[in-house]
Structure formats: C-alpha cells, structure tokens
Amino acid sequence: MSQLVKQDQFVTRDNVKNLHKPGEKLITTHCCYCGMQCGIHIRVEEKTGKVVGVEPRYDWPVTKGKMCPKGVTAYQTIEHPDRITKPLIKKNGQFHAVSWKEALDYIESNFKRIQRDHGKDALSVFGGVSMTNEKCYLVGKYARVGLGTRYIDYNGRFCMSSAAGGMLKTFGIDRGMTLPVPELEHTDCFFLAGSNSAECHPTSTQWLWKAKDKGAKLIVADPREVPIARVADVHLDLKPGTDSALAAGIIHLLIKEGYVDNEYVQERCNNFEELKQSVAHCTPEYTSQVTGVVVEKLVKAAHIYGQSPRSVVMFARGVEQQSKGVHNVQMYITMSLLRGMVGKFASGCGTFTGQGNGQGGREHGQKADLLPGYRKLTDPKAVEYISGVWGIDPKDMPQPGVSAYEMFDLIHNNTIRGMHVICSNPAVSAPNGNYVNEAFKKLDFLVVSDFFLSETAEHADVVLPTTTWAEDDGTTTNLEGRVIRIRKVRDPLGESKPDWEIVSLIAERMGKGRFFPYQTAHEIFEEFRVASKGGPADYYGITWDRIDKEDGVFWPCPSKDHPGSPHMFKERFGTEDGKANLGVFNWTEPGETQSAEYPLVLTTGRVVFHYLSGNQTRRVDFLMEQCPLPYAEMHPELAARNNLANGDKVKLTTRRGHMTVDVRLTKTIRKDTIFIPYHWGKELSVNQLTNPALDPYSRMPEFKVCAVKIEKA
C-alpha cells in the first residue's frame, strides 16, 4: 500500500485530490492490461508532465482499489527508454530513424505497388484489442475503406473467439458476462473452468473471497492445481482437452439427480431432449475414464453445484483455446442454463476477458467477417447500413476474409504480399511460431505500429511509433460489457502518434483521406456510436459524458435515455425465437493426441507477473526479477522417470519444433502434463511448439493441448 493512501481510506471523486503530493496531479483512468480494467489514478508532475506513479482507485465498483503487480508497474512503460519515438525504416538489415514524411512516402509507394501488381487483397491488416474502441473501430474501417482489402483479422482470434462463438451459438449475442461483477459477492457457488484467475485476473478474486466468507462453494476444473484451486471445495484435475466431456458428465448427473430447473428450461431453452440423449452415456465412470477425474470428485461437484440456489459458471482460455473450444463453452453455459441461472441476480455465466479491450475490440469490425455493432459482413442489410455511415458504395465493401492464423497460410501461398500489424505481436503469440515467423520473412513489405520494438517489429520494413494507452483519450469495454473511459495522461512521447491518426494518414496517402477526417478520438466515437446503432452490440446511447457521470455504461444501450444493460437475458435471449440453444454433447479428441513418440501433453498459460507476449512486461525490471525466464512445470514422478531434477535443463519437442528450458517440479500438476508460460519470444517461445489446429467455428488455434516428448538437455 502506498504511503499516500491509508488502508482504510475510501477514495471518491470528492477527496481524490487529497492523495497526491504537492506539485503533482492525479488523472483517473484504467489499467492497460487485462479485461478487469482496474480503476487507477496516474500521478503526474504538474511542471514537467512526467509520470511518476500510480494509485489505486477505491471507488471503482469492479476492483475497489485492488491492483496486481502488472498494474502497479504499468506506468513505468509510458516513458520507458525502449520507447520508439521516431519512424524507423530498415536499410541493409538495420533500422534508421526517419521523418514521418519519408516513412509515409515509403509506405505509400510499396502499398500502391503491391495492389497495382497483385490486387487490392494482396494487402492485409493484423489488428489488436489492447487499443481503445475508437481505434479498433477505425482499424476495421482502415482495412476495408482505406486499403480496400478483405484481409483483416486480429489477435483476439487467439484469445476470446471461442467464448464469443459459444455465446453466439447459445445466446445469439456475445457479451462476456451475463451479470455485473459486484454481484458475485452474493453467489452461492462458483464453477471455474480453465481459469487461473488468481494469476491472470487477480483483482477478481476479492469477490470470491467475500462470497466464501458468506458460505459460498468453489469448484475448479483445471489440469493444474492453480492457486485458486488450492482453496476449492472440489478440484477437478481433468486431462487437457477433455472439457466438453467433463461438462457432459456434470450435466448427466444434474439430470439424473433432479437438479434441472424444468420450468426454466421448458420456457426458455431449446434442444433439451437432444441434450438429454447425448449425455445419457456420460456416467461418472465414463466421464472419469475420458477426463481422468476420479468418480468421487465428479459426483461431489455435481451435488454442490446442483444444490446451490445461486451459481455462476466462469471459464477462460484453458477451455477456449482448443480446436473444439466453442463446443466446450456451449457445454459449460448449458450447465448454467439447466439450473435456470442465466438472467437472475448473482447468477449466470461469463468468460474472463484476457486483453484489456477484448470485448469491445471484437465487436466493431476487426474480425474477418464482422462490421461495427457486431453485424455480419455477409448480411446485405448490414453492409448497406455501414456503407451509408462510411459514405461508400455498398458494392465497394470487401467480402469476408480469413482468420488470423489463416492469413499466414495466405502469405506462404503468395496471396497476401503486404501486411500492416497494429498493436499485436503474432511472432510470439501465434501458434506454430516457426511457420509464422517464416511468413513474415516472406512478405514483400511489412509495416508494424508499436511503441516497443517487438519480435514482430524486428521483421518489419517500416516501424511506426504509436502511443501508449496513457497518451490518448478513448473508451474500452471491460469483461462485464461496461464501457469505460481511458483518459490522456501526457502528450505523446517524441514523435509518436495514436493509432487512429496513423491509419488516417496512410488512408490519405492511399487516396481515401476524405473518409478519415478526424481531429480527435471523440469525433471517432461519435461516428462509431452511429455505426453500432441497431446492431447486436449497440452503443448508440452511450456518450463520453454519460460514462463520466455514471462511471461506465453497459451495452446494449440503444438510446440516450436507456439505462444500459448490466444484466443480460432477464426475459429473452438474443436468438430469433428468444430461447437459448442448449449444447448437445459430441465427443471428439483434441487435434493432436499422445503417441508412443510423443507420450505427454503440453499446455500453456500465463503467470501473474507477465502479460501476453511480454513485449511490455519484459521491460519492467521488477516483473522480470520475479519471473525472468519460462520454465517447464512437471510432476516429480514424471521428472524422476526421465532422470530430471529441479533446475535441470529439459528439451521439449513436438511435431513443429523444440525448445530448452529449466525444470520446475511441483505436485500441483497432472503426471502426464507439462505446463510452460508463453510470455517470451524467439528460442524461448513455447508457441514454437503449439498446434495450429483450428476450431471449425471460431478458428481459434489449439494452444492448450499438444503432444510432446521430453529429454534431459
């Protein structure tokens, strides 16, 4: 706790001015990392404008003054000496600082050459969701109007796409949570699946502790005994890749033991008889055989969950980053629907959003097949409406493209010749990393917009210096669906520019400047409101003034007098008939299974001290001191069978590559499973090994399951 804030002091807008030292001011904003979007105050020297620290915001209703190690140190990246402050052009293999004019001239020349020689779709855009809603919206418009290409997708495809797919199939609308976070305090039972929430979303756990103090039960499904599982009433230590079977086994018991809310299901759900038949064989014994979870745990979990008056099912990347991630999500949501929980107080389901704007960033045009407002690009009426907002002929709207990983296939077959990567680092974050990095080398021309020289930027012909989250105004949408304000803390460092300004400048060079007339982020938001109007993700009634006054507004919010929607699906779902579509169990193996040559299972994840590809957190000294390198976490018995001890070097090999890391022994992991965190690049990137098998609906790669062999290095 900072010496500036007493532990029992409750900070409000009225007394926040008393927290800073003389000569400092506090600017209220939100953290740049995960979907919790923790409320913070940035401390700034009034004379110099220098950012000097951070304070928690105690009146932010979602996190109540809590922060994690990443959030506490996030301000240190704003003025970090590694910041790119001038445009860079690669000449003879080396980057050289140039003027913006020279960089834009070079981009214009190459982009126009590529499209002249190979067609408009030879250019592509790879976006990201650590940007504001305004920037995410404009990146989609930039690709389709500024460049006229069909090929745009984004890094959220590697994060939230299966959760989105499962919710769309089940509910007809994809919003991360069906209830607001503060209600979790009143929940009677939590079922957490594939979520290492204590490390990945640490500030969320306060609500679980409050609920447990009132007697709430906790069930955790994870191959590892992650920190949150150590306080669980039941830990379901399933084999990676068997989530749908685990959920089916719980559903079998809910039906058998009479825990189904039959009235709710009959009135509000479809497919119950089909579901019932599909799980008829999923006895505890069958489920145990498939998942590796002992029968007693399965039965206990079903009874606890089935008897709880108010329950919440939450899931995250462990469930979603699989080649059947959408089906996994559907089955876990179905558990909640059978108990009649969705649409009720302190009950329902949701996903832990990985990236800061993982929700808003996928709603407004960065997905290959979506337009703003979560409209389908294949819908002629949607195309006509958005074309009207943008001022283009509907015939000029590009057709849907392909998913993020599939764009690298198109580079290898010479369909895509140029790419603009914005706010993303797929050289580290994409699966089958060697293949992806070879694709970057094969491009005729690569532009990367970033504020640090990432592993992806090292491949670039041009690197454009962007601003951090603290150097521009805008909005994001947190894991609840609450639209909030990000406030400018300082002017852009050096010659860096916000992403919206950069894409507008390039669009102007491509002859499309009239479609990008913006002078401020607020102007973009006002257009974006209109673009979302009437869509499934309707932000039209949300304004910056409303956000400031109400501390965030939940979408959908179709008009300025609409209160917003903290609770989803109270009366009907977003499907055509207003009913939820229950999942129907269909067991399939993971994309890759164990074999004599590759006898073990590799899974990946995060640690509390790092964020995604590590491009930011690896530059913060404190965070690197706590976790400087990746490691292979394995059970002592597995290590002993392979003549390995704690701290030894182990070589891991999959069908795609190999890497060498230190062994870390723990009894909190399955004996057939190895875990490696993924926050490092190049030879330390575990994504050299991961399987690019894609979910047929979401196109999510299977990061969480692949076959691996180990040997002492």
Side-chain angles (χ1 to χ4, degrees), residues 384-403:
E384 183 178 1
Y385 178 77
I386 296 299
S387 296
V389 175
W390 288 350
I392 65 172
D393 190 319
K395 295 178 182 178
D396 294 331
M397 183 72 77
Q399 294 296 305
V402 299
S403 71

Side-chain angles (χ1 to χ4, degrees), residues 285-324:
E285 291 73 21
Y286 166 85
T287 306
S288 178
Q289 182 180 2
V290 175
T291 66
V293 180
V294 298
V295 168
E296 292 77 12
K297 287 185 177 181
L298 294 167
V299 173
K300 183 179 180 181
H303 281 295
I304 290 175
Y305 179 71
Q307 294 172 1
S308 298
R310 293 190 292 262
S311 60
V312 171
V313 176
M314 294 289 293
F315 37 85
R317 306 303 84 72
V319 166
E320 300 158 18
Q321 288 180 325
Q322 298 183 32
S323 59
K324 48 187 177 177

Side-chain angles (χ1 to χ4, degrees), residues 592 595 597-602 650-661 674 676 686 688-690 706-712:
E592 189 172 275
S595 65
E597 185 178 3
Y598 300 98
L600 303 171
V601 181
L602 173 66
V650 61
K651 181 180 178 181
L652 299 98
T653 305
T654 69
R655 292 177 174 89
R656 290 154 295 281
H658 61 83
M659 67 182 298
T660 299
V661 292
I674 294 171
I676 301 179
V686 70
Q688 300 170 82
L689 313 184
T690 48
C706 70
V708 65
K709 64 180 178 181
I710 62 173
E711 57 188 311
K712 193 169 185 177

Side-chain angles (χ1 to χ4, degrees), residues 105-280:
D105 286 346
Y106 194 44
I107 293 169
E108 177 186 352
S109 171
N110 281 278
F111 276 10
K112 287 182 175 178
R113 171 184 57 80
I114 288 170
Q115 290 193 322
R116 180 185 67 245
D117 294 346
H118 305 286
K120 285 189 174 183
D121 292 336
L123 287 183
S124 61
V125 176
F126 196 110
V129 289
S130 291
M131 299 185 289
T132 60
N133 286 314
E134 292 78 4
K135 294 171 184 175
C136 292
Y137 163 76
L138 208 64
V139 166
K141 183 178 179 181
Y142 162 67
R144 296 186 173 101
V145 178
L147 302 181
T149 180
R150 69 191 298 179
Y151 291 124
I152 173 174
D153 210 63
Y154 75 131
N155 62 13
R157 184 72 66 176
F158 301 153
C159 183
M160 296 293 300
S161 57
S162 288
M167 290 181 175
L168 286 168
K169 281 198 164 191
T170 309
F171 297 144
I173 291 178
D174 159 35
R175 202 184 80 176
M177 290 184 67
T178 65
L179 72 161
V181 163
E183 284 188 9
L184 297 177
E185 178 180 352
H186 306 288
T187 297
D188 298 307
C189 177
F190 296 89
F191 195 113
L192 303 184
S195 171
N196 182 10
S197 52
E199 293 198 77
C200 301
H201 300 85
T203 57
S204 71
T205 59
Q206 62 179 303
W207 302 105
L208 188 147
W209 307 138
K210 291 176 181 179
K212 280 186 71 67
D213 286 344
K214 298 176 181 178
K217 302 294 184 181
L218 171 63
I219 302 163
V220 174
D222 200 287
R224 305 160 62 216
E225 190 182 359
V226 292
I228 200 75
R230 295 168 200 166
V231 296
D233 295 275
V234 186
H235 172 215
L236 303 172
D237 50 341
L238 76 168
K239 183 179 179 180
T242 63
D243 285 280
S244 62
L246 176 69
I250 299 294
I251 289 169
H252 172 95
L253 288 168
L254 293 178
I255 296 171
K256 179 184 176 182
E257 300 297 331
Y259 294 132
V260 174
D261 185 333
N262 290 302
E263 183 179 352
Y264 180 99
V265 170
Q266 184 175 357
E267 291 181 359
R268 303 203 59 190
C269 302
N270 296 318
N271 306 330
F272 179 63
E273 288 303 319
E274 294 91 332
L275 168 66
K276 190 175 179 179
Q277 292 176 21
S278 74
V279 301

Side-chain angles (χ1 to χ4, degrees), residues 86-106:
K86 290 178 177 292
L88 305 175
I89 289 181
K90 187 176 287 180
K91 300 175 182 177
N92 299 319
Q94 299 293 320
F95 284 115
H96 299 272
V98 299
S99 67
W100 272 98
K101 181 181 184 305
E102 184 175 349
L104 292 169
D105 286 346
Y106 194 44

Side-chain angles (χ1 to χ4, degrees), residues 327-377:
H327 185 50
N328 294 340
V329 168
Q330 281 186 285
M331 295 305 291
Y332 280 120
I333 293 175
T334 295
M335 287 172 47
S336 189
L337 289 166
L338 290 181
R339 292 286 299 128
M341 294 296 161
V342 179
K344 295 184 178 179
F345 174 75
S347 307
C349 61
T351 182
F352 283 103
T353 308
Q355 296 191 65
N357 198 25
Q359 180 72 53
R362 70 179 182 265
E363 297 167 351
H364 302 295
Q366 287 196 104
K367 272 188 173 180
D369 60 342
L370 291 184
L371 291 171
Y374 231 124
R375 291 177 167 89
K376 296 292 287 184
L377 189 50

Side-chain angles (χ1 to χ4, degrees), residues 411-412 433-443 459:
I411 294 172
H412 277 287
N434 293 329
Y435 179 81
V436 170
N437 280 276
E438 286 301 316
F440 280 126
K441 294 175 185 177
K442 193 172 181 179
L443 282 169
H459 291 295

